[in-house]
Each structure stands twice: as structure tokens, then as C-alpha cells.
mmCIF file of all heavy atoms in Angstrom:
data_model
loop_
_atom_site.group_PDB
_atom_site.id
_atom_site.type_symbol
_atom_site.label_atom_id
_atom_site.label_comp_id
_atom_site.label_asym_id
_atom_site.label_seq_id
_atom_site.Cartn_x
_atom_site.Cartn_y
_atom_site.Cartn_z
ATOM 1 N N VAL A 475 96.804 71.931 105.134
ATOM 2 C CA VAL A 475 98.265 72.030 105.255
ATOM 3 C C VAL A 475 98.914 70.674 104.985
ATOM 4 O O VAL A 475 99.942 70.590 104.300
ATOM 5 C CB VAL A 475 98.666 72.568 106.643
ATOM 6 C CG1 VAL A 475 100.186 72.515 106.814
ATOM 7 C CG2 VAL A 475 98.172 74.004 106.823
ATOM 8 N N ALA A 476 98.316 69.613 105.495
ATOM 9 C CA ALA A 476 98.852 68.269 105.245
ATOM 10 C C ALA A 476 98.869 67.968 103.752
ATOM 11 O O ALA A 476 99.852 67.423 103.220
ATOM 12 C CB ALA A 476 98.032 67.228 105.992
ATOM 13 N N ALA A 477 97.787 68.320 103.062
ATOM 14 C CA ALA A 477 97.719 68.097 101.610
ATOM 15 C C ALA A 477 98.729 68.966 100.878
ATOM 16 O O ALA A 477 99.359 68.521 99.911
ATOM 17 C CB ALA A 477 96.307 68.392 101.115
ATOM 18 N N ALA A 478 98.890 70.200 101.345
ATOM 19 C CA ALA A 478 99.832 71.121 100.707
ATOM 20 C C ALA A 478 101.273 70.637 100.839
ATOM 21 O O ALA A 478 102.069 70.742 99.899
ATOM 22 C CB ALA A 478 99.683 72.519 101.306
ATOM 23 N N LYS A 479 101.609 70.104 101.997
ATOM 24 C CA LYS A 479 102.979 69.639 102.228
ATOM 25 C C LYS A 479 103.334 68.438 101.356
ATOM 26 O O LYS A 479 104.504 68.199 101.057
ATOM 27 C CB LYS A 479 103.176 69.325 103.707
ATOM 28 C CG LYS A 479 103.095 70.573 104.592
ATOM 29 C CD LYS A 479 103.180 70.245 106.061
ATOM 30 C CE LYS A 479 104.599 70.017 106.504
ATOM 31 N NZ LYS A 479 104.714 69.929 107.980
ATOM 32 N N LYS A 480 102.319 67.702 100.923
ATOM 33 C CA LYS A 480 102.566 66.538 100.066
ATOM 34 C C LYS A 480 102.953 66.943 98.646
ATOM 35 O O LYS A 480 103.612 66.176 97.942
ATOM 36 C CB LYS A 480 101.326 65.645 100.024
ATOM 37 C CG LYS A 480 101.053 64.892 101.319
ATOM 38 C CD LYS A 480 99.803 64.033 101.190
ATOM 39 C CE LYS A 480 99.519 63.268 102.483
ATOM 40 N NZ LYS A 480 98.282 62.449 102.363
ATOM 41 N N VAL A 481 102.529 68.134 98.228
ATOM 42 C CA VAL A 481 102.744 68.530 96.832
ATOM 43 C C VAL A 481 103.678 69.727 96.687
ATOM 44 O O VAL A 481 103.858 70.250 95.585
ATOM 45 C CB VAL A 481 101.398 68.846 96.142
ATOM 46 C CG1 VAL A 481 100.531 67.605 96.070
ATOM 47 C CG2 VAL A 481 100.665 69.985 96.846
ATOM 48 N N SER A 482 104.282 70.177 97.794
ATOM 49 C CA SER A 482 105.139 71.361 97.705
ATOM 50 C C SER A 482 106.281 71.289 98.708
ATOM 51 O O SER A 482 106.272 70.480 99.635
ATOM 52 C CB SER A 482 104.316 72.635 97.953
ATOM 53 O OG SER A 482 103.825 72.664 99.283
ATOM 54 N N ASP A 483 107.248 72.164 98.501
ATOM 55 C CA ASP A 483 108.393 72.268 99.400
ATOM 56 C C ASP A 483 108.186 73.347 100.460
ATOM 57 O O ASP A 483 108.779 73.301 101.532
ATOM 58 C CB ASP A 483 109.655 72.600 98.593
ATOM 59 C CG ASP A 483 109.893 71.626 97.460
ATOM 60 O OD1 ASP A 483 110.077 70.435 97.743
ATOM 61 O OD2 ASP A 483 109.878 72.054 96.289
ATOM 62 N N VAL A 484 107.349 74.336 100.132
ATOM 63 C CA VAL A 484 107.098 75.486 101.006
ATOM 64 C C VAL A 484 105.601 75.742 101.049
ATOM 65 O O VAL A 484 104.920 75.668 100.021
ATOM 66 C CB VAL A 484 107.820 76.750 100.480
ATOM 67 C CG1 VAL A 484 107.456 77.977 101.312
ATOM 68 C CG2 VAL A 484 109.329 76.544 100.467
ATOM 69 N N VAL A 485 105.083 76.054 102.243
ATOM 70 C CA VAL A 485 103.659 76.366 102.395
ATOM 71 C C VAL A 485 103.509 77.836 102.799
ATOM 72 O O VAL A 485 104.051 78.268 103.816
ATOM 73 C CB VAL A 485 102.981 75.466 103.444
ATOM 74 C CG1 VAL A 485 101.497 75.820 103.557
ATOM 75 C CG2 VAL A 485 103.145 73.994 103.086
ATOM 76 N N ILE A 486 102.759 78.586 101.978
ATOM 77 C CA ILE A 486 102.467 79.995 102.241
ATOM 78 C C ILE A 486 100.981 80.126 102.537
ATOM 79 O O ILE A 486 100.146 79.588 101.806
ATOM 80 C CB ILE A 486 102.826 80.873 101.024
ATOM 81 C CG1 ILE A 486 104.318 80.741 100.686
ATOM 82 C CG2 ILE A 486 102.457 82.334 101.279
ATOM 83 C CD1 ILE A 486 104.703 81.389 99.368
ATOM 84 N N VAL A 487 100.647 80.840 103.600
ATOM 85 C CA VAL A 487 99.242 81.038 103.978
ATOM 86 C C VAL A 487 98.918 82.523 104.006
ATOM 87 O O VAL A 487 99.674 83.321 104.556
ATOM 88 C CB VAL A 487 98.944 80.414 105.361
ATOM 89 C CG1 VAL A 487 97.562 80.842 105.858
ATOM 90 C CG2 VAL A 487 99.024 78.897 105.304
ATOM 91 N N SER A 488 97.785 82.864 103.411
ATOM 92 C CA SER A 488 97.233 84.212 103.553
ATOM 93 C C SER A 488 96.169 84.172 104.634
ATOM 94 O O SER A 488 95.286 83.315 104.609
ATOM 95 C CB SER A 488 96.622 84.682 102.232
ATOM 96 O OG SER A 488 95.909 85.892 102.426
ATOM 97 N N ALA A 489 96.265 85.112 105.580
ATOM 98 C CA ALA A 489 95.338 85.141 106.720
ATOM 99 C C ALA A 489 94.635 86.490 106.788
ATOM 100 O O ALA A 489 95.263 87.513 107.055
ATOM 101 C CB ALA A 489 96.097 84.875 108.018
ATOM 102 N N HIS A 490 93.323 86.480 106.546
ATOM 103 C CA HIS A 490 92.523 87.697 106.650
ATOM 104 C C HIS A 490 91.900 87.694 108.039
ATOM 105 O O HIS A 490 90.908 86.998 108.296
ATOM 106 C CB HIS A 490 91.453 87.717 105.562
ATOM 107 C CG HIS A 490 91.017 89.100 105.184
ATOM 108 N ND1 HIS A 490 91.774 89.928 104.376
ATOM 109 C CD2 HIS A 490 89.912 89.810 105.512
ATOM 110 C CE1 HIS A 490 91.157 91.075 104.207
ATOM 111 N NE2 HIS A 490 90.032 91.042 104.903
ATOM 112 N N TRP A 491 92.467 88.496 108.952
ATOM 113 C CA TRP A 491 92.152 88.365 110.369
ATOM 114 C C TRP A 491 92.413 89.674 111.100
ATOM 115 O O TRP A 491 92.866 90.654 110.518
ATOM 116 C CB TRP A 491 92.984 87.241 110.971
ATOM 117 C CG TRP A 491 94.502 87.400 110.804
ATOM 118 C CD1 TRP A 491 95.184 88.460 110.241
ATOM 119 C CD2 TRP A 491 95.501 86.467 111.194
ATOM 120 N NE1 TRP A 491 96.547 88.243 110.267
ATOM 121 C CE2 TRP A 491 96.776 87.025 110.834
ATOM 122 C CE3 TRP A 491 95.486 85.219 111.795
ATOM 123 C CZ2 TRP A 491 97.991 86.377 111.068
ATOM 124 C CZ3 TRP A 491 96.696 84.568 112.030
ATOM 125 C CH2 TRP A 491 97.920 85.138 111.665
ATOM 126 N N GLY A 492 92.121 89.698 112.387
ATOM 127 C CA GLY A 492 92.435 90.856 113.224
ATOM 128 C C GLY A 492 91.299 91.865 113.313
ATOM 129 O O GLY A 492 90.293 91.775 112.619
ATOM 130 N N ASP A 493 91.492 92.854 114.195
ATOM 131 C CA ASP A 493 90.514 93.926 114.385
ATOM 132 C C ASP A 493 90.904 95.137 113.555
ATOM 133 O O ASP A 493 92.082 95.527 113.517
ATOM 134 C CB ASP A 493 90.441 94.329 115.859
ATOM 135 C CG ASP A 493 89.779 93.264 116.722
ATOM 136 O OD1 ASP A 493 89.120 92.369 116.151
ATOM 137 O OD2 ASP A 493 89.937 93.325 117.958
ATOM 138 N N GLU A 494 89.928 95.745 112.919
ATOM 139 C CA GLU A 494 90.197 96.912 112.084
ATOM 140 C C GLU A 494 90.728 98.076 112.921
ATOM 141 O O GLU A 494 90.255 98.348 114.023
ATOM 142 C CB GLU A 494 88.934 97.329 111.336
ATOM 143 C CG GLU A 494 88.498 96.310 110.298
ATOM 144 C CD GLU A 494 87.368 96.817 109.414
ATOM 145 O OE1 GLU A 494 86.950 97.978 109.588
ATOM 146 O OE2 GLU A 494 86.911 96.053 108.548
ATOM 147 N N ASN A 495 91.737 98.742 112.355
ATOM 148 C CA ASN A 495 92.344 99.938 112.951
ATOM 149 C C ASN A 495 92.998 99.685 114.301
ATOM 150 O O ASN A 495 93.167 100.607 115.103
ATOM 151 C CB ASN A 495 91.312 101.063 113.065
ATOM 152 C CG ASN A 495 90.777 101.483 111.712
ATOM 153 O OD1 ASN A 495 91.535 101.793 110.800
ATOM 154 N ND2 ASN A 495 89.459 101.467 111.566
ATOM 155 N N VAL A 496 93.405 98.443 114.534
ATOM 156 C CA VAL A 496 94.116 98.081 115.762
ATOM 157 C C VAL A 496 95.476 97.519 115.362
ATOM 158 O O VAL A 496 95.563 96.571 114.586
ATOM 159 C CB VAL A 496 93.326 97.044 116.586
ATOM 160 C CG1 VAL A 496 94.132 96.612 117.808
ATOM 161 C CG2 VAL A 496 91.972 97.615 116.997
ATOM 162 N N SER A 497 96.532 98.082 115.930
ATOM 163 C CA SER A 497 97.882 97.713 115.501
ATOM 164 C C SER A 497 98.454 96.502 116.233
ATOM 165 O O SER A 497 99.531 96.020 115.879
ATOM 166 C CB SER A 497 98.837 98.906 115.673
ATOM 167 O OG SER A 497 98.871 99.318 117.029
ATOM 168 N N ALA A 498 97.755 96.000 117.238
ATOM 169 C CA ALA A 498 98.228 94.834 117.990
ATOM 170 C C ALA A 498 97.436 93.594 117.568
ATOM 171 O O ALA A 498 96.212 93.641 117.437
ATOM 172 C CB ALA A 498 98.072 95.059 119.487
ATOM 173 N N PRO A 499 98.118 92.465 117.381
ATOM 174 C CA PRO A 499 97.411 91.225 117.040
ATOM 175 C C PRO A 499 96.458 90.803 118.149
ATOM 176 O O PRO A 499 96.747 90.972 119.336
ATOM 177 C CB PRO A 499 98.547 90.210 116.870
ATOM 178 C CG PRO A 499 99.775 91.018 116.627
ATOM 179 C CD PRO A 499 99.582 92.284 117.400
ATOM 180 N N THR A 500 95.332 90.234 117.757
ATOM 181 C CA THR A 500 94.349 89.747 118.715
ATOM 182 C C THR A 500 94.715 88.333 119.178
ATOM 183 O O THR A 500 95.585 87.677 118.603
ATOM 184 C CB THR A 500 92.953 89.705 118.081
ATOM 185 O OG1 THR A 500 92.978 88.757 116.991
ATOM 186 C CG2 THR A 500 92.550 91.075 117.553
ATOM 187 N N ASP A 501 94.003 87.863 120.194
ATOM 188 C CA ASP A 501 94.203 86.483 120.649
ATOM 189 C C ASP A 501 93.864 85.496 119.530
ATOM 190 O O ASP A 501 94.507 84.446 119.411
ATOM 191 C CB ASP A 501 93.335 86.198 121.872
ATOM 192 C CG ASP A 501 93.818 86.939 123.114
ATOM 193 O OD1 ASP A 501 94.998 87.364 123.125
ATOM 194 O OD2 ASP A 501 93.020 87.088 124.063
#
């Protein structure tokens, strides 16, 4: 993120996470 902020105005992150077939975010 630190490197990204040096070369861009906006930082977008893709996050592949969570439990399958569960509609509530995990800890």
C-alpha cells in the first residue's frame, strides 16, 4: 500500500476472503 500510494492517487484492493455460503463477514 505504501508503494502504491507513491505512484497513484487512489488505491483499490481486491480481497478474496470470507466463508463460503455465509452472508456475514468473518472476523
Side-chain angles (χ1 to χ4, degrees):
V475 173
K479 294 175 80 170
K480 289 180 180 179
V481 296
S482 65
D483 306 298
V484 175
V485 181
I486 300 170
V487 170
S488 171
H490 206 77
W491 57 4
D493 289 344
E494 293 189 2
N495 299 307
V496 176
S497 59
T500 63
D501 290 341

